[in-house]
Amino acid sequence: MDLSAAGRRIPRLDAADLARRLRLRRTGARVVMILGNEGAVFVRLTGDGVAEQRYVATPDPDGRAAAHAVLHADASAPVAILLDVLEQHYRETTIPRVGWNDRRKLLKRKLGQAFGADHVATSLYLGEAAPEEGERRGKYRYFLIGVPITAEIRAWLDLVIDAGNPVEGMALLPVEASALVHDLAERGDTRSAPPVWEVLVTHHRASGFRQIILKNGQLIFTRLTPNLEGDAGVADTVDNIHGEIRSTMTYLRRLGFTDTDSMDLVVLAGSAVSANLDRRQMRTRQLRTLTPADAADKLDLRLAAGDRAGAEAGADTDSSASDDLVAAWYGRRPWARLHLDTPELLRARALSAVPLAAYALAALTVVGAAGYGSWQQLQLGRERAELQELTGTRARLRTARSDFIAARPPDQPRMGEVALVVNSRRALAAAAPVHVPVVRALSRVTGADFVVTGLTTKPRDTKSGLAARARRALPAEPGRPVHRDTGTGDGTAGASAPRGSPVVATATLRYRGDTEVGRKRIAARFRELRRRLAEVLPGHRVKLTAPPFDAAPGAQMKGTAGVAAEKTDKGPGGRITGGYRIAGPSP
Amino acid sequence: MTGRWIPARWLRRLSAPLGVLGLAVAVGVGGVVWVRAERAQVAERTAAVRAELRELRDTLSDLRRRAAYMDAHRTRYRQAKARGLTREQDRLAAGSTIERLAVETGVTRASYTFKKADRTSFAASDRGGDGEAPAFVHTPVVLELTAQREGPIFGFLDALQTELPGYLPVRTLTVRREAWNLDQAVAAIRDGRHPTVLRAEVTLDWVVLDVPPKTESPDA
């Protein structure tokens, strides 16, 4: 196939690269089956390396028994199938730069168009093509890969599935072994650029001579030539390899290879074959031969003891020498680069994945539940401690309440009644007219010179009665306590006492002092008395309403002289009197 | 080719991991459910205790407030009770008291009139029905007093306010001098007569608080 149009190498980290860079390796038991046109090779791997290898020519009952013997040697060992048949179709295609889902649909349609229903088909991403004129970025390049599932292949797959071992699926040997080319590459200086061309030649008993050609690290071409006849010797094998590589080089030159290009050509063969290989016969300047044992050392793999001994002895009669190496190498890889599964294989693979998924999920569940449960338990502990503290506080408060109630005097009146009486008494005091200050003030200020001859006091508010005013002065709920001290309501309790209802008093005072001082002075004494009354009655208005000698032009003035015609005891007669009006206190 | 059904050996292979998974899920979910249920229970109990604590604190606060109020007003309440603020108005006893005090204080003459009593109920704002509500019972008392000087009149009023049960403020007070010739008055007294020197007209508001016997305040 001509893959010369392969574009520049796109640095893309796929799963295989990731596994290699992370140095992920599988160490458990595994069975790798290399399936070719001439049968299948079963290689059973354990933690110590290759434990057993068996070639089975046909999936007939004897072959099944032989294969099952290998598989059932460790029934829990998963089986990975490497398909290495002649009929493998690779077609390069490009996909426009569309979204992932559209790309998937396009590839599915292209695979359907390219391969028939009897094929299993898949696609391999190759990177971006060189951008066309007017485009900033190139299209996506893919290999459309299809393999016809023949009756023979189906029989082999049934054999594997029926064995009951876990199935890891089927992969294509050329695609997977591309990574082996990288792993076997000579890297004297890790910083040096990899060769443009890399060629790996392996020899498999079930398929034949497999050539894998990479350009710029990407698979562009692969060839498979069948095994020679059973009686072929080392020379025949060497001739065959020479011839095949010559053909390949001729083809590569058509793909653009020149002698100045860097190339790494690796041939995996027994030591006898390796010793007789001649690069001139292959028309190439580069050649590197490795025995499987050398390659295993390089890859840090352990092959079966027979392989190493055979290789060291120079024998090359066992054409499956590469089988163990490829199987051991592939068996240690964590996952395949590209799966190519039939529906039955897919189903078996899914079922095989269930235990691991179940254990992982179980572990995850337990860890998650343990984490969440621990956090919840921590919260629960805190909440319980808080509850305990609250319960203790409750007990203390209950005791305090009981003590409080027990300490109450037994004859204590009900608070509602106390509040009712106290509020009512206060309201009455607030509503009652305040006469006492006026009477007391008069008695304080009169002295020897004045005598009260008439006094009338009455409330300023004469429209409503005391009870109605007191009712208005009550709080909205007279039976509830008012928690501010507004006094006793006695009117004598100081500043906090209610002031009471204002009064209006009219008093008549007679002058009893010395009349010889003159009228002006007597009048002044009446005025002085008004001043003193106002002084001792703060908040009251005191007015001299009837002065004894009102000589003002706007007032009326009377006077009498001489002896009365009849002696009488009614009225003050010619005595000197004054009238006062006292109103207050101010609200 | 293997059919769509799951072969028995696969079921056997899957039974252990699925069993482990089921067990893990059961244990995990069960544990989480248990601890959540425990937390819910604790939260419920905590909420109940908190509510009770609030109630207890309110109760204690109320009790302390009441105690403080009672401490502050107990004396006033007892004084008011002792002054007969909640007693019934007994006009006959009150008349006797007036007559006795007039003699004791030296009032020459005292005449009294108990006017019609009125009742001012607290029903509108405090109690549901008028019959069950407290009320002020108010009786105006009109006094006409004569005396030979001011002292007996004011002494009589003071004594009356002290001895008559209830609250007895003066509404109006009028004092007039009737005799201006003191020599005549002294002579009349020497003759064994009782001349009127001062005349006072006093109106008193006699108020008591009528508390129905089974009345209880909401805070009682």
Side-chain angles (χ1 to χ4, degrees):
Chain A
M1 71 198 79
D2 183 0
L3 300 178
S4 59
R8 58 190 165 79
R9 181 179 183 181
I10 304 298
R12 179 173 178 270
L13 196 65
D14 62 12
D17 291 334
L18 183 68
R20 191 172 67 248
R21 292 186 188 193
L22 295 176
R23 299 183 184 282
L24 298 177
R25 289 177 68 134
R26 294 180 60 144
T27 55
R30 208 172 182 195
V31 176
V32 177
M33 172 190 181
I34 299 175
L35 176 60
N37 296 93
E38 298 169 31
V41 173
F42 292 86
V43 181
R44 185 164 66 82
L45 303 166
T46 63
D48 296 328
V50 177
E52 182 183 2
Q53 188 225 65
R54 182 165 298 186
Y55 168 73
V56 180
T58 55
D60 57 10
D62 290 342
R64 286 176 73 93
H68 282 183
V70 178
L71 294 172
H72 291 163
D74 183 355
S76 63
V79 184
I81 303 167
L82 276 176
L83 193 62
D84 194 28
V85 291
L86 272 171
E87 274 193 289
Q88 297 183 33
H89 306 292
Y90 294 80
R91 291 182 191 171
E92 190 185 358
T93 188
T94 54
I95 299 287
R97 299 188 68 85
V98 292
W100 174 83
N101 197 36
D102 292 337
R103 211 186 317 166
R104 189 180 59 82
K105 287 177 184 170
L106 276 172
L107 283 171
K108 189 175 177 184
R109 198 169 64 197
K110 279 178 179 277
L111 287 169
Q113 289 167 351
F115 307 111
D118 58 336
H119 284 62
V120 282
T122 186
S123 58
L124 177 68
Y125 178 72
L126 296 174
E128 287 182 18
E132 292 176 6
E133 191 175 344
E135 288 183 344
R136 199 164 58 85
R137 299 184 67 180
K139 294 178 177 175
Y140 297 119
R141 287 175 52 238
Y142 279 91
F143 261 151
L144 302 180
I145 303 171
V147 177
I149 300 299
T150 59
E152 193 176 4
I153 292 177
R154 203 173 288 278
W156 283 113
L157 297 181
D158 283 349
L159 182 154
V160 172
I161 293 170
D162 291 344
N165 288 48
V167 177
E168 286 194 344
M170 183 165 68
L172 294 169
L173 191 142
V175 174
E176 301 302 320
S178 301
L180 178 61
V181 178
H182 292 293
D183 291 350
L184 289 173
E186 282 288 329
R187 297 283 188 272
D189 181 0
T190 53
R191 288 172 298 179
S192 62
V196 177
W197 301 90
E198 292 170 287
V199 180
L200 175 67
V201 181
T202 56
H203 185 195
H204 301 283
R205 184 170 180 183
S207 49
F209 296 91
R210 169 61 72 182
Q211 297 178 59
I212 299 164
I213 297 97
L214 309 184
K215 183 184 179 187
N216 291 324
Q218 283 200 340
L219 175 70
I220 61 162
F221 170 49
T222 181
R223 288 185 67 204
L224 179 68
T225 48
N227 281 318
L228 301 175
E229 292 300 321
D231 55 352
V234 171
D236 298 330
T237 305
V238 169
D239 284 345
N240 186 49
I241 292 174
H242 284 161
E244 291 303 325
I245 291 181
R246 267 199 311 275
S247 303
T248 300
M249 293 309 294
T250 305
Y251 186 69
L252 287 182
R253 286 176 201 284
R254 291 216 302 269
L255 293 181
F257 173 74
T258 61
D259 290 335
T260 56
D261 287 347
S262 59
M263 170 179 264
D264 186 18
L265 171 60
V266 180
V267 179
L268 275 179
S271 54
V273 173
S274 297
N276 290 295
L277 286 176
D278 181 4
R279 62 182 174 79
R280 283 170 300 184
Q281 297 283 331
M282 300 179 194
R283 294 179 188 167
T284 177
R285 294 193 303 160
Q286 300 90 353
L287 172 64
R288 196 152 55 93
T289 56
L290 289 172
T291 63
D294 295 336
D297 288 341
K298 185 175 176 63
L299 299 173
D300 194 21
L301 299 173
R302 277 177 283 185
L303 302 180
D307 292 339
R308 184 171 290 277
E312 284 170 357
D316 196 40
T317 53
D318 187 357
S319 61
S320 66
S322 294
D323 290 331
D324 283 2
L325 179 78
V326 172
W329 170 82
Y330 183 68
R332 293 293 165 256
R333 288 177 69 77
W335 49 72
R337 185 179 180 191
L338 188 71
H339 277 291
L340 193 73
D341 292 329
T342 62
E344 293 79 14
L345 269 181
L346 201 61
R347 183 160 168 266
R349 210 173 115 207
L351 285 172
S352 302
V354 167
L356 183 64
Y359 285 128
L361 195 58
L364 206 65
T365 304
V366 168
V367 168
Y372 183 70
S374 300
W375 178 67
Q376 289 284 311
Q377 193 69 35
L378 197 69
Q379 300 286 101
L380 179 63
R382 285 184 190 150
E383 286 163 2
R384 276 182 175 154
E386 186 190 6
L387 176 61
Q388 198 172 3
E389 192 183 327
L390 289 175
T391 310
T393 308
R394 182 179 63 179
R396 284 197 300 278
L397 287 181
R398 278 177 176 170
T399 309
R401 183 182 62 181
S402 304
D403 292 349
F404 209 99
I405 292 170
R408 215 161 48 172
D411 60 340
Q412 179 164 293
R414 286 179 295 108
M415 195 179 69
E417 187 183 328
V418 173
L420 182 66
V421 169
V422 169
N423 289 338
S424 300
R425 179 68 180 79
R426 185 180 288 133
L428 285 168
V434 189
H435 302 284
V436 175
V438 175
V439 175
R440 280 186 183 155
L442 283 171
S443 92
R444 273 180 66 189
V445 301
T446 47
D449 286 349
F450 291 95
V451 63
V452 179
T453 57
L455 173 66
T456 301
T457 67
K458 57 183 180 182
R460 196 168 66 184
D461 177 12
T462 54
K463 290 179 183 171
S464 54
L466 172 66
R469 289 200 303 275
R471 177 69 188 88
R472 286 199 297 271
L474 277 171
E477 293 182 79
R480 286 193 181 275
V482 178
H483 291 281
R484 56 185 166 81
D485 190 0
T486 52
T488 59
D490 295 335
T492 56
S496 64
R499 303 194 65 166
S501 181
V503 297
V504 177
T506 308
T508 305
L509 275 76
R510 183 165 67 87
Y511 178 67
R512 289 198 308 187
D514 184 7
T515 54
E516 300 302 321
V517 294
R519 292 182 175 178
K520 279 192 176 178
R521 285 200 172 183
I522 294 171
R525 286 197 175 181
F526 272 93
R527 288 196 297 275
E528 172 63 16
L529 183 69
R530 190 211 69 80
R531 191 190 60 76
R532 288 177 60 201
L533 276 171
E535 204 174 85
V536 299
L537 284 170
H540 288 69
R541 281 185 305 152
V542 183
K543 200 172 176 183
L544 180 60
T545 50
F549 309 109
D550 195 354
Q556 185 178 349
M557 181 176 165
K558 286 183 180 179
T560 54
V563 179
E566 188 180 343
K567 196 173 182 181
T568 176
D569 197 23
K570 300 293 179 187
R575 294 172 178 83
I576 302 165
T577 61
Y580 292 86
R581 186 178 186 276
I582 303 167
S586 305
Chain B
M1 183 62 67
T2 306
R4 288 240 167 244
W5 50 273
I6 298 175
R9 62 176 179 281
W10 277 106
L11 288 177
R12 277 197 301 277
R13 188 185 296 280
L14 296 180
S15 60
L18 291 179
V20 168
L21 176 62
L23 191 67
V25 168
V27 168
V29 172
V32 168
V33 166
W34 176 82
V35 79
R36 296 280 300 177
E38 277 291 298
R39 280 192 71 193
Q41 265 189 15
V42 170
E44 195 178 336
R45 277 157 55 199
T46 303
V49 173
R50 277 187 199 283
E52 194 179 345
L53 275 178
R54 272 196 301 276
E55 194 183 319
L56 277 170
R57 287 197 177 102
D58 288 349
T59 306
L60 269 174
S61 171
D62 194 44
L63 282 172
R64 288 196 183 102
R65 209 159 39 88
R66 287 184 190 201
Y69 183 84
M70 294 298 275
D71 288 345
H73 294 88
R74 190 180 290 114
T75 307
R76 291 167 196 169
Y77 167 77
R78 285 182 179 156
Q79 282 174 354
K81 290 282 279 188
R83 282 284 297 110
L85 185 64
T86 55
R87 257 184 260 162
E88 282 186 23
Q89 288 182 342
D90 185 347
R91 292 189 178 203
L92 290 177
S96 301
T97 303
I98 291 170
E99 290 159 14
R100 177 173 58 79
L101 289 177
V103 173
E104 285 176 5
T105 56
V107 170
T108 313
R109 179 185 168 81
S111 60
Y112 57 88
T113 306
F114 291 99
K115 294 202 169 177
K116 186 182 174 187
D118 62 77
R119 181 184 173 87
T120 305
S121 173
F122 297 180
S125 60
D126 194 38
R127 297 290 193 279
D130 189 18
E132 297 175 353
F136 287 132
V137 178
H138 169 227
T139 302
V141 182
V142 180
L143 296 172
E144 286 185 17
L145 308 171
T146 58
Q148 291 163 5
R149 50 196 173 87
E150 296 93 338
I153 291 174
F154 289 113
F156 173 80
L157 288 176
D158 273 348
L160 188 64
Q161 286 182 316
T162 306
E163 294 206 11
L164 216 58
Y167 189 59
L168 200 74
V170 175
R171 186 199 297 176
T172 62
L173 168 68
T174 303
V175 183
R176 284 195 311 275
R177 190 172 189 87
E178 293 287 320
W180 293 90
N181 190 332
L182 290 177
D183 295 338
Q184 284 183 4
V186 171
I189 291 167
R190 281 182 182 154
D191 291 343
R193 288 177 287 151
H194 298 283
T196 300
V197 178
L198 289 173
R199 181 182 296 279
E201 290 173 10
V202 184
T203 308
L204 297 164
D205 287 315
W206 186 22
V207 183
V208 292
L209 178 65
D210 178 23
V211 183
K214 290 186 178 177
T215 297
E216 286 204 3
S217 163
D219 287 338

